[in-house]
Amino acid sequence: MHPIKPCDRSPRPSSKKRKRRSAAAATPLESEPEPVHDTTACNSEGEDNATGKRREHSNKKMEEETSKKKQGEGKKGSGILTDKLFSDLPISDLTANAIRDMNYTHLTEIQARSIPPLMLGSDVMASAKTGSGKTLAFLIPAIELLCRLRFSPRNGTGVVVLCPTRELAIQTHNVAKELLKYHSQTLGYVIGGIDLRGEAEQLAKGINVLVATPGRLLDHMQMTKSFKYECLKCLIIDEADRILEQNFEEQMKQIFKHLPRQGRQTVLFSATQTEKVEDFAKLTFGSKEERQRTLVYVGVDDHESKATVEGLKQGYCVIPSERRFLVLYAFLKKALSEKKKDYIVQYDPPDETKDYIHRVGRTARGDNGKGSAILFLLPKELQLLIHLKAANISVSEYVFRQELVPKLQPYLSVAASFCFSEPPKVNLDLDSSASKHRKKRNVNTGRRHGIGPSNPYGRKGGDDRRQFARF
Ligand SMILES: Nc1ncnc2c1ncn2[C@@H]1O[C@H](COP(=O)(O)OP(=O)(O)OP(=O)(O)O)[C@@H](O)[C@H]1O
């Protein structure tokens, strides 16, 4: 079990003391969290009515589902699942019931290999393909840790999960919300693009599990006085490879300076093992020698030759730039008419192989996940395939079947009328000076965005250094 300092296990105070302690919630915390006096915490002694009812309900549910689960035990998915069961994990009933509600029975490999060392309190550095179940792998032990320590809002933040993008932070927050369903611990996120003051108000109330993007976390560390993180017990860095790519390195250094190091567990997860992740590990865990003494490595795909998942079909299609939009439009329209989702279409190539892996990793996720990804390439971009092959990613040529061509034709002609040679005449009846100016400009240049055969990405002159393929 995770080492708990003696003060974490101090006996539960009387209800009088409890009241006094809550009244003193505004006083600064000592370096260790106070024991939490919330009777809904995961211990079985002294449970209140609400907990009793919940337990009764969940026991009933458990009984109902035991037979169901038993039937399912023998038939774990043939994909990423192992034969290890969540019901065999030494976790609280509260987490176990939430997992059952999520309909998960078997652990994926990354979960089976990283949850045990994380539950023991080790620092862990793990990598596994996208869509292999990393989120639960780090969230379950982190939530269990706070549950065991009986964290409550007045203890402030006990777990920080850092994500490279807002979208990922929200996804992670949603999974944490499901896992915390029966727990008393609080959850929240701080991400860029949202009102700083509103977030600060939430932080002041005490967020135990905080999902954050690095820049915004640092903002609050520097500016939000009511943000309490002195008792931080676990720092999780998800998608470490992408965090460094987004130029968060300086912010990460600052964050490490602010965070308490003593008694803190550090966890680093990534989808790919790259030099950047190695650099990050140096920053996070110290030199290689230091790390070898204390760190647990979990490399699920180390023995695997394939960088992408089994259920993913990957194709590429060479299309001259002036037809790319037409093909995209036709492709999407057709997919929509057939009610097909989830296709990953890469309209332009990624800058690096690992970006490719991350993009296609948005489909064929989870156990036995199936999906398709198609990559549009200009003839001169074909050399990207050499880089992909070097990383053991095989992408086969996608040829539009002859019988598909007549089906695509109506869409192609609609798309052709959009922004290519003969735009349709549409009177928007907007007579503002801005629209007049726009009309004038359109007449002069033909294409406002400047995209054309000689400029497929709409580059605005030689100095335009926005992200374009560099192959
Ligand atoms: N034990 C499990 N059994 C069945 N499905 C699972 C299990 N664990 C996770 N999943 C499902 O697998 C999918 C991918 O999980 P998750 O998002 O955690 O992957 P990931 O490795 O973090 O991916 P990425 O690197 O792209 O963020 C999700 O849809 C999730 O619901």
Side-chain angles (χ1 to χ4, degrees):
M1 299 307 264
H2 190 273
I4 304 175
K5 298 259 166 77
C7 76
D8 295 324
R9 292 191 162 168
S10 56
R12 293 155 61 81
S14 68
S15 56
K16 249 191 204 165
K17 273 190 194 160
R18 250 180 265 165
K19 274 187 197 144
R20 229 179 293 140
R21 287 239 176 116
S22 356
T27 56
L29 279 174
E30 291 150 26
S31 57
E32 282 296 314
E34 289 178 23
V36 177
H37 318 298
D38 191 330
T39 45
T40 58
C42 65
N43 67 326
S44 55
E45 17 152 277
E47 57 186 25
D48 64 6
N49 273 350
T51 313
K53 272 187 193 154
R54 254 203 321 247
R55 192 177 292 277
E56 208 179 289
H57 167 77
S58 56
N59 281 347
K60 206 169 158 210
K61 205 163 172 204
M62 231 151 53
E63 275 166 28
E64 277 168 20
E65 296 209 40
T66 306
S67 59
K68 246 195 246 170
K69 224 177 72 195
K70 279 199 175 142
Q71 288 161 20
E73 264 173 18
K75 49 168 188 168
K76 71 174 181 76
S78 57
I80 56 170
L81 296 186
T82 63
D83 55 9
K84 308 246 169 9
L85 290 165
F86 280 108
S87 54
D88 290 338
L89 286 180
I91 53 176
S92 64
D93 285 353
L94 306 180
T95 304
N97 292 343
I99 295 172
R100 201 175 2 256
D101 290 355
M102 292 159 97
N103 286 324
Y104 298 144
T105 51
H106 293 80
L107 282 81
T108 66
E109 191 172 351
I110 185 71
Q111 290 160 0
R113 289 179 53 192
S114 48
I115 291 177
L118 285 170
M119 296 277 291
L120 288 170
S122 305
D123 284 352
V124 167
M125 180 172 164
S127 76
K129 283 171 191 168
T130 56
S132 57
K134 295 189 284 296
T135 319
L136 284 183
F138 59 71
L139 281 180
I140 291 173
I143 287 170
E144 282 300 293
L145 172 63
L146 294 197
C147 174
R148 277 202 305 277
L149 293 175
R150 301 187 195 167
F151 250 69
S152 79
R154 71 164 154 261
N155 298 122
T157 297
V159 169
V160 167
V161 184
L162 277 175
C163 302
T165 64
R166 293 174 203 169
E167 181 216 16
L168 271 167
I170 292 169
Q171 275 177 28
T172 305
H173 172 270
N174 290 343
V175 179
K177 194 172 168 186
E178 288 191 68
L179 276 178
L180 282 165
K181 189 171 168 187
Y182 299 112
H183 285 273
S184 60
Q185 278 72 33
T186 50
L187 168 74
Y189 58 78
V190 291
I191 55 177
I194 285 182
D195 171 35
L196 204 71
R197 201 187 308 164
E199 286 180 352
E201 280 164 15
Q202 291 303 313
L203 285 171
K205 289 181 191 161
I207 295 180
N208 297 145
V209 180
L210 181 69
V211 185
T213 48
R216 186 51 72 99
L217 179 72
L218 188 60
D219 286 346
H220 284 294
M221 285 176 149
Q222 292 168 337
M223 292 188 290
T224 307
K225 291 216 168 61
S226 52
F227 176 26
K228 276 197 267 180
Y229 52 88
E230 309 80 32
C231 300
L232 189 82
K233 292 287 157 205
C234 179
L235 171 69
I236 298 162
I237 302 160
D238 187 19
E239 307 245 2
D241 42 351
R242 290 176 71 193
I243 284 196
L244 279 201
E245 267 164 40
Q246 319 251 349
N247 295 327
F248 283 133
E249 191 169 352
E250 202 36 54
Q251 282 155 333
M252 286 307 300
K253 282 184 187 158
Q254 293 296 325
I255 288 171
F256 283 127
K257 268 192 206 159
H258 280 75
L259 289 177
R261 183 70 194 96
Q262 202 74 31
R264 187 194 81 207
Q265 185 179 28
T266 308
V267 184
L268 199 143
F269 270 72
S270 68
T272 50
Q273 275 295 9
T274 60
E275 273 177 36
K276 280 201 168 142
V277 176
E278 184 53 33
D279 290 347
F280 209 157
K282 236 183 267 165
L283 189 76
T284 316
F285 303 108
S287 71
K288 209 166 187 171
E289 297 70 44
E290 280 174 73
R291 269 187 276 150
Q292 270 158 0
R293 281 200 297 275
T294 56
L295 193 65
V296 175
Y297 289 92
V298 180
V300 165
D301 309 317
D302 289 357
H303 56 283
E304 278 216 18
S305 55
K306 279 191 164 181
T308 47
V309 290
E310 208 56 56
L312 178 69
K313 275 192 203 157
Q314 302 174 77
Y316 73 92
C317 192
V318 182
I319 312 172
S321 68
E322 65 273 23
R323 292 192 64 80
R324 272 191 320 165
F325 182 78
L326 291 173
V327 177
L328 175 71
Y329 182 86
F331 198 81
L332 294 181
K333 266 297 209 189
K334 190 173 166 299
L336 214 77
S337 70
E338 290 171 3
K339 294 198 168 54
K340 276 188 191 158
K341 283 202 269 180
D342 234 42
Y343 245 108
I344 304 293
V345 181
Q346 301 192 53
Y347 188 71
D348 52 11
D351 277 354
E352 293 181 40
T353 311
K354 66 179 172 321
D355 296 334
Y356 176 91
I357 295 171
H358 277 294
R359 286 181 182 184
V360 298
R362 297 292 101 203
T363 187
R365 293 165 71 75
D367 184 38
N368 282 326
K370 300 255 181 296
S372 311
I374 185 158
L375 171 67
F376 287 4
L377 292 175
L378 301 177
K380 65 181 176 196
E381 290 166 341
L382 269 168
Q383 54 182 304
L384 168 68
L385 298 176
I386 300 170
H387 295 265
L388 294 181
K389 198 158 184 212
N392 278 315
I393 300 167
S394 77
V395 187
S396 36
E397 188 174 4
Y398 183 93
V399 184
F400 282 99
R401 279 178 285 132
Q402 270 313 307
E403 65 265 28
L404 269 183
V405 176
K407 285 189 190 164
L408 288 175
Q409 206 52 50
Y411 303 127
L412 285 175
S413 27
V414 176
S417 68
F418 258 113
C419 62
F420 289 84
S421 47
E422 287 173 48
K425 284 188 187 121
V426 182
N427 182 8
L428 291 176
D429 207 19
L430 298 172
D431 223 7
S432 70
S433 54
S435 75
K436 272 184 204 152
H437 172 72
R438 267 202 303 274
K439 275 182 208 155
K440 202 169 158 196
R441 201 166 54 168
N442 288 347
V443 169
N444 290 345
T445 61
R447 288 187 187 92
R448 194 150 53 91
H449 43 61
I451 296 174
S454 58
N455 189 10
Y457 297 108
R459 201 184 284 274
K460 292 175 182 158
D463 288 342
D464 188 353
R465 297 201 182 283
R466 288 171 299 149
Q467 190 191 354
F468 295 106
R470 289 197 292 262
F471 295 98

